[in-house]
Amino acid sequence: MRLILLGAPGSGKGTQAERLAEAKGLVHISSGDLFRKAEKEGTELGKLAKSYMEKGLLVPDEVTIKMILERISEIDQGFMLDGFPRTLEQAQALDKALNKDGIDKAIYIDVSREELLRRLSGRWICKQCQAPYHMVSSPPKIAGRCDVCGGELYQRADDTRETAQKRLEVYFEQTAPLIDYYKESGRLLEVEGERSIEEVKENILKLLS
Ligand code: AMP
C-alpha cells in the first residue's frame, strides 16, 4: 500500500500519518522531518532547506523530489508519505517513479482556514517524541513538559503567526490544486479534520478498508 496524506500545515497530517502508518504497518516518510534532520546535522541540504523553511516557503522541487525518491528506493514495503508531494511537479514525478500505477490513495484532511491559523500559531511540540500540544485547546499538564514522555516542549521556528500565515498562503496556492489531481484520477479519499485525533483516524481507517 502506497499512501499520501494531503492537508494544510496544521491539519493534523503528521499526527495521523504516524498513527496510520503504525496501524497499517507502513513506513512513515515525512519530508519536513527529513529536512529538519538535515538541518540539525548541518548538511548542505539542511542549510539550503533552512533558508526556505524559515520563510515559510517550499524547498525547490528538484532537491525535494530527489530526497524523497532516494528515501523510497531504500524501502521494500508500503509507505505513508506526509508533506510530500506539495506541488503538481512533485506529484507527477512521484507517479512516474512508481511506474504506471503511481500511489494507491491520497487521503485529504479538510480543515478550515481559520482553524488552521489558530492551531499553528499556538502549537508546541515535544522535542523527544514529537507529541503536539496547543497552548489554549490542549495544553500539557505541566507547563513546558510533555505529558507522554516528560520531554521539553518547543515551538517550531516556522509556527510563529507571520510564518504560519505565509505557509498557509503557499499551501492554498501550490498544494491545494493536488486535491483535484488525485480526485480526477479517482484516488482521493476525503475526511473531515475538525474532529478529535481518534475520530479522524478511525474515519480514515474506515475509508481505507
Ligand atoms: P512540514 O513539517 O511538512 O510542515 O514542512 C516544513 C517545511 O519543510 C515546509 O514549510 C517547507 O519549507 C519544507 N517542505 C516540507 N515538505 C516539502 C515539500 N514536499 N516540498 C517543498 N518543501 C517542503
Side-chain angles (χ1 to χ4, degrees):
M1 203 182 243
R2 303 184 288 206
L3 303 176
I4 287 175
L5 264 187
L6 266 183
S11 61
K13 249 186 314 110
T15 308
Q16 292 298 337
E18 213 170 288
R19 290 167 191 234
L20 291 165
E22 201 186 326
K24 290 276 182 193
L26 304 172
V27 178
H28 173 203
I29 302 175
S30 154
S31 46
D33 284 353
L34 290 174
F35 284 135
R36 281 184 287 277
K37 183 166 169 270
E39 185 191 333
K40 233 189 207 165
E41 291 167 351
T43 63
E44 285 308 310
L45 172 69
K47 283 180 207 157
L48 177 85
K50 181 173 187 265
S51 66
Y52 289 93
M53 287 165 84
E54 64 192 8
K55 296 192 195 85
L57 300 174
L58 295 185
V59 179
D61 280 338
E62 200 190 322
V63 186
T64 309
I65 290 169
K66 184 166 176 280
M67 174 182 79
I68 291 292
L69 294 186
E70 270 173 22
R71 179 71 189 99
I72 289 175
S73 72
E74 291 164 5
I75 53 176
D76 53 6
Q77 68 186 101
F79 55 81
M80 160 76 71
L81 284 174
D82 157 17
F84 183 95
R86 261 173 154 104
T87 65
L88 205 51
E89 195 175 335
Q90 292 179 11
Q92 286 163 342
L94 180 65
D95 275 343
K96 202 169 150 207
L98 296 176
N99 69 51
K100 68 174 176 41
D101 299 326
I103 60 120
D104 299 312
K105 294 283 176 207
I107 302 153
Y108 167 52
I109 307 180
D110 188 15
V111 174
S112 69
R113 205 182 273 240
E114 306 81 73
E115 175 65 9
L116 291 169
L117 194 56
R118 191 194 67 78
R119 287 187 188 179
L120 285 177
S121 50
R123 180 160 81 168
W124 287 72
I125 295 167
C126 172
K127 257 187 191 165
Q128 275 185 132
C129 75
Q130 321 300 320
Y133 294 87
H134 190 276
M135 272 188 308
V136 181
S137 54
S138 57
K141 291 192 185 98
I142 301 167
R145 287 280 152 207
C146 176
D147 293 350
V148 183
C149 72
E152 190 187 336
L153 303 186
Y154 78 107
Q155 189 173 36
R156 265 173 53 173
D158 56 356
D159 275 350
T160 57
R161 196 168 178 87
E162 209 177 57
T163 316
Q165 200 130 25
K166 182 72 200 166
R167 288 165 67 209
L168 288 181
E169 253 172 56
V170 167
Y171 167 79
F172 284 107
E173 238 170 61
Q174 302 192 51
T175 309
L178 294 184
I179 298 168
D180 281 341
Y181 175 79
Y182 290 111
K183 198 183 265 177
E184 279 157 17
S185 50
R187 292 178 288 173
L188 192 79
L189 300 175
E190 268 184 83
V191 68
E192 222 265 77
E194 290 181 45
R195 294 175 182 272
S196 72
I197 292 175
E198 256 326 288
E199 272 177 292
V200 175
K201 180 186 147 194
E202 286 310 317
N203 288 342
I204 295 175
L205 286 174
K206 259 185 235 155
L207 288 175
L208 285 173
S209 64

